[in-house]
Amino acid sequence: MTTRRPSLAGVLRRAWRPVRPVLIVALPLAGLVGALACAGLAWRDARANHAIAALAAGHDRPVAADAVPELLLARIRFLAARERLDEVEPLIAALDGRGSPALRALAQIALGNARLRQAFAKLEAGDLEPATPLVGLARHAYRRALTLRPEAWDAKFNLDVASRLVRDFPERGREQGEEMPADPKKIWTDIPGQPRGLP
């Protein structure tokens, strides 16, 4: 007498019986968890967009180092425009850890521009000594931006301006302690396509 082997359909039916009640409960719960996660992300993005718009409009907003990269960039630009560079450095470090190369390059350009503005203010006041390291820091920031995003035209242009500015400092080899008035015509350089005498 031969015994019949159970069919595949019968085996599957028997295996499905204990699993079915678990799936009936688990699937709606998984859907609910997914919906809550999506709602949380949407709320976070809405808050970040609101803060970015406020910073762009000139309203100060505190930003944590673990904020989304776009919000970090907005805060970096806000602080750099106001030359609050001590507050910029930790945010740039946080952005370097999580941001895309394009966002990191924009942050470096903002930092370089702030340093270059400080250098210009020193040069216009005839104070050449403190201007030199500021120009060097600006050049470093522009080089980092170009490493991250080689096609960044603003970084290329501003790096060229900063490089010519250092090269054209008047009489860098003068004696220590010797007073010398700054002549803006010797400091500002001629850049192709720009009016004569402008940076």
Side-chain angles (χ1 to χ4, degrees):
M1 182 170 179
T2 60
T3 57
R4 269 192 336 179
R5 296 177 111 185
S7 69
L8 181 60
V11 170
L12 289 176
R13 268 196 303 272
R14 279 197 298 278
W16 171 250
R17 276 189 209 124
V19 173
R20 184 173 174 232
V22 174
L23 286 178
I24 288 172
V25 172
L27 286 176
L29 285 177
L32 179 62
V33 168
L36 289 173
C38 288
L41 290 173
W43 178 76
R44 183 199 70 178
D45 289 347
R47 284 189 60 205
N49 287 338
H50 180 71
I52 289 169
L55 288 164
H59 305 293
D60 196 2
R61 294 288 184 273
V63 174
D66 62 349
V68 294
E70 293 81 6
L71 182 53
L72 287 173
L73 176 62
R75 177 73 171 164
I76 288 166
R77 285 177 159 171
F78 175 87
L79 294 171
R82 286 148 185 84
E83 296 185 5
R84 292 163 56 183
L85 301 183
D86 291 340
E87 298 173 62
V88 167
E89 296 295 343
L91 296 178
I92 285 183
L95 185 62
D96 283 344
R98 293 180 290 115
S100 68
L103 293 178
R104 292 164 56 204
L106 290 172
Q108 290 297 326
I109 290 170
L111 179 61
N113 290 347
R115 299 282 191 202
L116 204 52
R117 280 193 304 272
Q118 289 179 332
F120 284 154
K122 299 287 186 191
L123 291 172
E124 287 169 355
D127 200 2
L128 300 181
E129 290 300 321
T132 304
L134 290 171
V135 172
L137 289 170
R139 290 173 63 198
H140 177 71
Y142 295 135
R143 282 194 186 108
R144 281 197 67 200
L146 287 170
T147 300
L148 294 163
R149 193 173 172 206
E151 71 278 6
W153 188 88
D154 287 347
K156 289 178 187 177
F157 183 85
N158 291 349
L159 177 61
D160 183 55
V161 171
S163 297
R164 291 180 187 211
L165 201 59
V166 169
R167 184 192 67 204
D168 293 341
F169 277 164
E171 296 182 32
R172 284 181 286 170
R174 70 180 188 276
E175 293 296 321
Q176 183 71 19
E178 183 182 336
E179 291 295 322
M180 186 191 82
D183 181 3
K185 290 180 183 173
K186 290 184 179 179
I187 296 171
W188 304 114
T189 62
D190 294 329
I191 298 169
Q194 294 296 316
R196 189 174 173 81
L198 289 178

